[in-house]
Amino acid sequence: AAPTQWTSASGGNDHWYERVTPATVAGYTWDEAYADAPTRSWMGLTGYMATVTSQAEQNFLIAAFGIGGAWLGGNDRATEGTWQWVNGPEAGQTFYIAGAGSQPGYSNWNTGEPNNCCSGEDDLVYGYFGDAAAVWNDYGVPSFPNARYSYFVEYSGQPGTSVPEPATLALVGVGLLLAARRRRA
C-alpha cells in the first residue's frame, strides 16, 4: 500500500508514513529497519524510521496503521536512560531521560517502561503490548538482538532528506555554464 499522509488540514505535519512489513521474513531487527528506511523513497523524499513527537502523531499512527509492534527511530544506545531520535529531522534530539522530573519531549511509555530489563534493552518499539494506546517499550539490543517487528518509515520535506532529480542537476549545470559564458563576453 502507498504511504499515508498526515495532512496539515487534519492537524498534522504533512509528512507521509508507511508501515513496512516484509513478506518473506518475520520482520526486521531494529538495526535492519534503520538500514532499510533510507533505501525507501516516496515522491522524491527519502525515508527514515518514524519519530513520534506528539500525542496527535501517535493517535494518527494508531488510526492509520493499528497497534501491533513496530520499531520507531529512537534508542538509548549512546547513554543508558537518555532516549534520542537517531534519524530524520529530529536526529540527535533527546525525548526522554530516565528519572527526570520533566521530560524534554513526547513519549508514550507503558507503565514501568523503559526498564532496561534482562541485561539491557536499548531500542524503541511501538505497540509492543498490543493495547489500544500502542504504548512503547524498550526492547532489542543487547538482550534481544534478534527481536523482529515491522517498522514505521516517515517521509518529510525537510532539508537534506530528498535527492534532486538528475534532470534538475543537468539544468543547473547548463545554467552555470551559460552564466559563466555570458560573464566572459
Side-chain angles (χ1 to χ4, degrees):
T4 302
Q5 187 177 32
W6 186 30
T7 65
S8 56
S10 66
N13 56 16
D14 285 328
H15 294 189
W16 296 84
Y17 298 81
E18 176 180 19
R19 186 181 197 124
V20 179
T21 304
T24 57
V25 294
Y28 295 88
T29 66
W30 191 94
D31 289 322
E32 289 168 346
Y34 182 73
D36 188 65
T39 70
R40 298 178 176 277
S41 65
W42 176 252
M43 298 175 49
L45 303 172
T46 301
Y48 54 91
M49 288 176 75
T51 57
V52 180
T53 60
S54 69
Q55 183 64 55
E57 190 172 14
Q58 175 82 16
N59 292 344
F60 167 78
L61 290 178
I62 293 168
F65 303 103
I67 58 173
W71 298 117
L72 294 175
N75 66 40
D76 71 343
R77 291 182 182 189
T79 303
E80 181 56 45
T82 300
W83 288 81
Q84 295 184 318
W85 298 116
V86 299
N87 61 181
E90 291 83 15
Q93 289 182 13
T94 299
F95 63 88
Y96 181 84
I97 302 170
S102 65
Q103 295 299 330
Y106 171 78
S107 60
N108 191 43
W109 298 108
N110 191 37
T111 303
E113 301 296 343
N115 62 6
N116 203 37
C117 171
C118 316
S119 302
E121 299 173 309
D122 292 339
D123 303 320
L124 178 58
V125 66
Y126 153 109
Y128 175 85
F129 297 98
D131 65 298
V135 293
W136 300 355
N137 184 35
D138 58 332
Y139 203 56
V141 300
S143 296
F144 305 100
N146 296 316
R148 295 187 170 275
Y149 293 98
S150 61
Y151 75 93
F152 288 113
V153 64
E154 184 173 352
Y155 307 95
S156 71
Q158 298 297 320
T161 61
S162 61
V163 176
E165 297 283 332
T168 303
L169 293 174
L171 287 173
V172 169
V174 168
L176 290 172
L177 286 172
L178 290 174
R181 191 174 189 193
R182 187 172 222 193
R183 184 174 251 184
R184 287 185 192 159

